[in-house]
Amino acid sequence: MLQLQDLVVSLPDGRRAVDGVSLSLEAGRCLVLLGESGCGKSLTALSLLRLLPEGVTLAGGRAELDGQDLFALPEQQMRGLRGGRLAMVFQEPMSSLNPVMTVAAQITEALRAHGSGQTVAGLLNDVGLQPQHAASYPFQLSGGQRQRALIAMMLAGEPQVLIADEPTTALDVSVQAQILRLLRALQAKRGMALMLITHDLGIAREMADTVAVLYAGQVVEISSAADLLASGGRHPYTRALMQVTPSLGRRGQPLLSLPGSVPLSDDWPRGCRFAPRCESVQSQCRDRVPALTEGVRCLYYRSGLAREDSLRCKSEPVRDDSLSRASPLLRVRDLCVHYPIRRGLLQRTVDWVRAVDGVCFDLRAGETLALVGESGCGKSSLARALLRLQPQATVRGEIRLAELDVLRTSHMQSLRRRAQIVFQDPFASLDPRMRVGDILEEGLLALRPDLNSGGRRRQIEQMLDRVGLGHAAMRRYPHAFSGGQRQRIAIARALCVEPQLLILDEPTSALDVSVQAQVLALLRELQSERGLAYLFITHNLPLVGYFVDQVAVMYGGKIVEAGAVETVLNAPQEGYTRELLAAAPRSD
């Protein structure tokens, strides 16, 4: 149904971002594009719709939809096809939906544009939304509901091919499972071809008929999903991705990381583009350009060299067991966080939203406690309450950080010095107008008055080295870094003041698996060196299996199950915990 041959996409300076990608997609089948950020997945999809960013151009290739050349069509004809026979669900539904139009109005707009005979009610029913959602605005819907509304709008044109670009990023496991089930059901019902872009091997395992692995603008491996996952990958890059992907079935194995990052097009090596990061690299790999042969772009895929482990196991940091036997660093008892519901002209409080309702737990130095649960269960409200970052809420209970009574202390500087937080979105939490050196120094100026300017600079340089960014990062702005690098800056900022407790609120949810592994390896090393206590908020259960010591499952503002991670993951007692584990995508 869809045939793409030798696609080349050029950046404004003439560099290639996509270099000779060829793909084919059949009706009723799912093709998954897999790879790290910067590999060219999204640009490949946007090329098919001719929606490339300004200055980025199609420099070569041919794309045919049912025999019709997409790249040769006049824009007027392409406009009728785009959103009709060929549609795309974008990564962030809030930025794709019009915030001042209701869901019904936006779906109606799509129905009129493509002359479809479908109805708003029928489309909402297809995607699992209720009739009352038709009158809702996007901000009134949850993340999963917004994604469903966007899918309904894309289905209005009755597409033959639907492209979904990271449709479940930052959604919790249960909502993610719902969206994936929805896409499978719609594909079966309508006979659509589905192109799914992801960096999650678990999603690829559940959804794909065929998997194409992209790296540095090229397809490095393409095969059926069953063959690729059964073999563990024939290309060293595919094998490396599998090794850094957390899995519930690999609990207790060392956490591996893939060094380096995807090179920019002006830094592409002369030979194999993966050679600088490959553990099996040979001298010929640096000089000869491998062709895509039998679905693999590797000179040595037939030999045993490319089938060796692509990553060498790093020794795990030695844990100090005496820390785990010490008294708790953080002690929480009967914590409640309630938000007022105000109504009327005088905005009187008529009721309360009980976001956190009677939570108790302990956390020791050198230990990691994970809070897991669906969005809206109270995880982030609890974390912010621990740092007194909830001025609009009523917070009751007891929070003790060492000897400090958090809820009653007036020494906020002491609290901020002892406990820091790393937020989910590093781009939103870093000031875009400040250089990285100034961002890190701001915290030292407020919380480390004992340091002079020279001491502050040494502390910043040491921390930037520790997170793998180097001194040159001090002079750059946040926009000059990738997502993983920005998260490292956020971690460096938090650790600069040398806290005892670090709260990590979904720190890796928007990162691809290789960057996620690098960030987690860094956090584990720092914990081993400094005896840090981590409160790790996440909905990624395979990640919990690798990284944490204790786990607490939250639902409706309460902890419904807690204990050692092996006990909770291997023998869950609560039905809700079992449902979360069943919904988690598995790559093994």
Side-chain angles (χ1 to χ4, degrees):
M1 180 169 285
L2 181 66
Q3 188 79 28
L4 181 64
Q5 295 177 338
D6 298 321
L7 174 67
V8 178
V9 177
S10 292
L11 300 177
D13 57 5
R15 292 180 292 125
R16 292 184 172 187
V18 178
D19 189 20
V21 168
S22 297
L23 301 166
S24 62
L25 183 56
E26 301 169 18
R29 307 280 286 179
C30 178
L31 169 67
V32 167
L33 299 188
L34 191 70
E36 298 170 272
S37 300
C39 285
K41 306 186 300 295
S42 294
L43 282 179
T44 299
L46 291 171
S47 299
L48 294 170
L49 289 156
R50 285 170 43 184
L51 288 176
L52 290 170
E54 188 176 355
V56 180
T57 57
L58 284 167
R62 181 180 177 86
E64 291 185 355
L65 177 62
D66 237 2
Q68 189 173 25
D69 189 351
L70 298 177
F71 296 165
L73 285 178
E75 176 57 27
Q76 186 174 1
Q77 292 184 38
M78 188 66 196
R79 203 177 299 138
L81 185 147
R82 189 187 295 128
R85 291 167 58 201
L86 180 64
M88 183 167 180
V89 178
F90 294 94
Q91 183 170 354
E92 176 45 63
M94 196 61 185
S95 61
S96 304
L97 295 170
N98 191 326
V100 298
M101 291 175 66
T102 63
V103 169
Q106 296 187 60
I107 295 175
T108 302
E109 190 177 50
L111 290 170
R112 287 174 180 163
H114 299 287
S116 175
Q118 300 180 94
T119 64
V120 172
L123 287 168
L124 290 178
N125 182 64
D126 281 351
V127 299
L129 289 178
Q130 301 301 316
Q132 60 265 30
H133 290 133
S136 300
Y137 290 90
F139 73 89
Q140 295 174 311
L141 303 177
S142 69
Q145 289 170 337
R146 284 196 292 265
Q147 196 65 279
R148 288 169 182 265
L150 184 58
I151 293 171
M153 196 165 75
M154 293 301 105
L155 293 176
E158 301 181 48
Q160 294 173 287
V161 177
L162 182 66
I163 301 170
D165 188 0
E166 300 276 10
T168 60
T169 296
L171 298 180
D172 58 55
V173 286
S174 58
V175 178
Q176 175 178 270
Q178 293 168 17
I179 296 297
L180 295 179
R181 282 198 301 268
L182 170 64
L183 288 172
R184 279 198 299 269
L186 290 170
Q187 186 183 11
K189 179 181 178 181
R190 294 171 176 251
M192 294 185 305
L194 178 64
M195 180 184 288
L196 181 62
I197 298 171
T198 185
H199 56 248
D200 190 322
L201 275 164
I203 293 175
R205 179 181 178 273
E206 291 193 11
M207 296 293 295
D209 296 299
T210 305
V211 177
V213 183
L214 270 67
Y215 184 80
Q218 293 180 326
V219 175
V220 296
E221 183 169 356
I222 186 166
S223 71
S224 71
D227 289 345
L228 184 139
L229 293 165
S231 67
R234 293 179 292 167
H235 193 281
Y237 177 61
T238 311
R239 297 182 70 82
L241 285 181
M242 291 187 171
Q243 290 176 56
V244 300
T245 300
S247 167
L248 289 168
R250 292 161 58 189
R251 166 71 184 165
Q253 296 180 20
L255 185 68
L256 302 176
S257 62
L258 178 57
S261 59
V262 180
L264 299 174
S265 52
D266 53 350
D267 292 328
W268 282 345
R270 184 173 58 181
C272 174
R273 291 177 185 173
F274 187 61
R277 304 173 73 188
C278 182
E279 293 286 356
S280 306
V281 65
Q282 303 295 307
S283 57
Q284 287 192 66
C285 299
R286 303 187 189 279
D287 299 317
R288 286 180 55 192
V289 179
L292 189 66
T293 307
E294 298 179 10
V296 187
R297 195 181 296 273
C298 179
L299 297 174
Y300 295 98
Y301 78 94
R302 287 179 177 167
S303 69
L305 287 171
R307 291 197 171 92
E308 293 176 359
D309 278 347
S310 303
L311 301 175
R312 289 176 186 154
C313 176
K314 295 170 64 177
S315 59
E316 288 284 282
V318 179
R319 299 178 65 91
D320 187 350
D321 292 334
S322 64
L323 292 173
S324 63
R325 294 191 294 270
S327 58
L329 173 69
L330 177 67
R331 181 181 173 89
V332 177
R333 292 291 179 270
D334 299 319
L335 180 63
C336 297
V337 181
H338 295 171
Y339 296 92
I341 299 173
R342 304 182 190 278
R343 293 198 182 124
L345 183 63
L346 300 178
Q347 290 292 286
R348 289 193 173 97
T349 300
V350 296
D351 204 350
W352 298 86
V353 175
R354 292 164 175 78
V356 180
D357 199 17
V359 164
C360 304
F361 64 87
D362 292 335
L363 178 59
R364 290 171 171 79
E367 191 175 68
T368 302
L369 169 67
L371 283 179
V372 302
E374 297 171 281
S375 298
C377 69
K379 306 187 300 293
S380 293
S381 292
L382 188 154
R384 291 170 182 268
L386 296 178
L387 297 179
R388 287 179 55 178
L389 295 176
Q390 297 281 36
Q392 73 276 32
T394 297
V395 182
R396 296 195 303 270
E398 180 185 5
I399 304 173
R400 287 204 168 269
L401 182 58
E403 75 285 353
L404 187 67
D405 188 338
V406 171
L407 294 182
R408 293 166 182 81
T409 185
S410 58
H411 299 95
M412 294 303 294
Q413 189 178 30
S414 177
L415 172 61
R416 299 282 180 259
R417 169 75 187 275
R418 296 179 185 203
Q420 286 283 308
I421 185 168
V422 177
F423 294 98
Q424 180 173 355
D425 184 356
F427 199 71
S429 61
L430 299 174
D431 192 329
R433 300 165 299 177
M434 295 175 67
R435 298 178 192 272
V436 168
D438 297 329
I439 289 172
L440 269 62
E441 189 175 27
E442 190 177 36
L444 293 174
L445 285 168
L447 302 176
R448 293 293 305 274
D450 55 305
L451 295 177
N452 57 25
S453 60
R456 290 194 298 271
R457 184 175 180 85
R458 284 192 296 273
Q459 182 82 338
I460 292 168
E461 289 177 347
Q462 179 185 1
M463 191 50 61
L464 287 174
D465 284 339
R466 196 66 197 80
V467 299
L469 292 176
H471 301 177
M474 293 175 64
R475 299 185 294 275
R476 300 166 69 188
Y477 291 92
H479 69 80
F481 296 90
S482 68
Q485 289 171 327
R486 285 196 291 266
Q487 197 61 281
R488 288 168 180 263
I489 293 167
I491 292 169
R493 176 178 62 178
L495 294 178
C496 249
V497 298
E498 300 181 351
Q500 298 170 290
L501 169 67
L502 191 60
I503 298 173
L504 301 153
D505 190 358
E506 301 277 12
T508 62
S509 64
L511 304 180
D512 57 51
V513 288
S514 62
V515 178
Q516 172 183 272
Q518 292 171 11
V519 169
L520 293 178
L522 168 66
L523 288 170
R524 183 166 285 181
E525 288 174 14
L526 291 168
Q527 184 179 50
S528 177
E529 291 174 7
R530 299 172 178 232
L532 289 163
Y534 291 150
L535 181 63
F536 194 80
I537 298 171
T538 186
H539 56 246
N540 188 333
L541 287 171
L543 193 61
V544 167
Y546 266 92
F547 189 65
V548 309
D549 306 298
Q550 303 287 324
V551 60
V553 182
M554 286 193 71
Y555 179 78
K558 299 179 182 292
I559 291 178
V560 296
E561 186 166 1
V565 65
E566 293 90 350
T567 302
V568 173
L569 294 188
N570 295 334
Q573 301 301 305
E574 287 289 328
Y576 177 64
T577 309
R578 290 195 289 270
E579 287 179 10
L580 287 180
L581 288 166
R586 295 171 180 264
S587 60
D588 55 345

